[in-house]
């Protein structure tokens, strides 16, 4: 069964450093998403991406965040200057078409630890 | 996404049916009821969705009240692998209406006893 793949599974970084979280969405999907989940809290939407541009973003997704689809398979989330409060699980998701946005397939996540 | 209310936690025994309730009294006519679950240390996983009629798939059944103000996710025979947080989410339109991002609440933490 096709799945969303995220790497690395755990990323440790120092405060102020840049990190790039990587995702390989399901191959024929067109919509891509990033969510985060701070330990013990709800899953929160960050951003959606369609047709090589951001479709929608939440208040959390400020100027320190960016997303990119550098090639036909990868989807990345970059955090420019990490803060302690960026420590969280980050989940990538994808959905097949605009007509099926509500069925999103999630990866297992990347645990980001900012020290 | 319109608001839903779920119990914080529920407990059930292995191999018994589980009924997970969700209240959504302010549901609009175009809102579909979606269920996702999150297994420990995993990302959320789509389970099922419906509009008015009861729905079945290989994972679960969804029973929707006639007035649509509540619904119940039914796991017919729970296993230890069904222990997870279950989220009930309303979405505008089955096919892409409304916001892109899913709005997750706290969900129901389902505990399965062996």
């Amino acid at each position: 069964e096709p799945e969303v793949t995220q790497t690395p599974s755990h990323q440790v970084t120092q405060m102020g450093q840049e990190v790039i979280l990587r995702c390989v969405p399901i191959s024929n999907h067109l919509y891509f998403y990033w969510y985060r989940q701070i330990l013990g809290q709800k899953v929160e939407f960050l951003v959606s991406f369609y047709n090589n541009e951001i479709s929608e973003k939440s208040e959390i997704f400020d100027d320190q965040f960016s997303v990119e689809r550098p090639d036909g398979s990868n989807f990345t989330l970059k955090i420019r200057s990490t803060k302690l409060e960026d420590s969280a699980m980050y989940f990538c998701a994808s959905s097949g078409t605009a007509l099926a946005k509500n069925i999103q397939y999630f990866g297992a996540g990347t645990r980001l630890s900012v020290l | 996404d319109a608001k839903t209310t779920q119990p914080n936690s529920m407990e059930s025994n292995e191999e018994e049916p589980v009924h997970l309730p969700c209240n959504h009294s302010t549901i609009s006519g175009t809102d579909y009821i979606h269920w996702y679950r999150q297994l420990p240390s995993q990302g959320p996983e789509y389970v099922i969705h419906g509009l008015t009629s009861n729905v079945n798939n290989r994972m679960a059944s969804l029973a929707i009240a006639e007035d649509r103000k509540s619904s119940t996710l039914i796991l017919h025979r729970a296993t230890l692998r069904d222990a997870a947080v279950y989220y009930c989410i309303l979405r505008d339109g089955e096919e892409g209406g409304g916001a892109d991002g899913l709005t997750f609440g706290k969900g129901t933490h389902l505990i399965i006893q062996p």
Side-chain angles (χ1 to χ4, degrees), chain B residues 48-75:
Chain B
I48 200 167
H49 77 282
L51 181 63
T52 56
S53 303
N54 295 345
V55 184
N56 301 297
N57 67 19
R58 64 176 179 82
M59 291 180 71
S61 295
L62 176 60
I64 300 171
E66 199 167 329
D67 64 5
R68 300 207 329 121
K69 293 187 177 184
S70 66
S71 60
T72 303
L73 181 71
I74 302 166
L75 307 179

Side-chain angles (χ1 to χ4, degrees), chain A:
Chain A
E1 187 172 322
E3 60 180 18
V4 175
T5 306
Q6 291 187 243
T7 54
S9 57
H10 190 189
Q11 174 87 49
V12 181
T13 190
Q14 296 290 325
M15 190 169 56
Q17 294 296 305
E18 174 183 288
V19 294
I20 298 175
L21 309 182
R22 302 180 191 280
C23 169
V24 179
I26 294 172
S27 64
N28 61 347
H29 281 187
L30 301 177
Y31 269 86
F32 314 111
Y33 314 83
W34 283 101
Y35 292 79
R36 80 171 185 191
Q37 185 174 31
I38 295 170
L39 185 63
Q41 298 189 24
K42 300 176 190 178
V43 177
E44 300 174 290
F45 168 72
L46 294 178
V47 67
S48 59
F49 192 84
Y50 171 72
N51 200 25
N52 283 321
E53 60 182 23
I54 289 174
S55 175
E56 189 177 298
K57 60 183 180 180
S58 72
E59 291 180 352
I60 303 168
F61 193 87
D62 60 22
D63 290 345
Q64 72 160 343
F65 291 94
S66 63
V67 289
E68 191 178 31
R69 187 155 163 82
D71 54 43
S73 60
N74 292 285
F75 180 50
T76 62
L77 175 69
K78 182 192 291 185
I79 310 175
R80 287 190 184 80
S81 177
T82 51
K83 306 180 185 115
L84 295 175
E85 54 265 36
D86 293 326
S87 295
M89 285 290 292
Y90 288 81
F91 296 108
C92 174
S94 67
S95 58
T97 66
L99 298 181
K101 274 194 305 187
N102 295 330
I103 300 177
Q104 298 180 14
Y105 297 85
F106 287 76
T110 293
R111 178 179 304 280
L112 177 64
S113 299
V114 182
L115 306 179

Side-chain angles (χ1 to χ4, degrees), chain B residues 64-110:
Chain B
I64 300 171
E66 199 167 329
D67 64 5
R68 300 207 329 121
K69 293 187 177 184
S70 66
S71 60
T72 303
L73 181 71
I74 302 166
L75 307 179
H76 293 286
R77 199 162 164 266
T79 69
L80 295 177
R81 291 186 302 170
D82 291 319
V85 179
Y86 287 78
Y87 302 99
C88 171
I89 301 172
L90 301 184
R91 297 290 289 173
D92 180 17
E94 178 175 22
E95 296 178 341
D100 289 354
L102 300 173
T103 301
F104 290 86
K106 293 184 179 179
T108 296
H109 184 198
L110 177 63

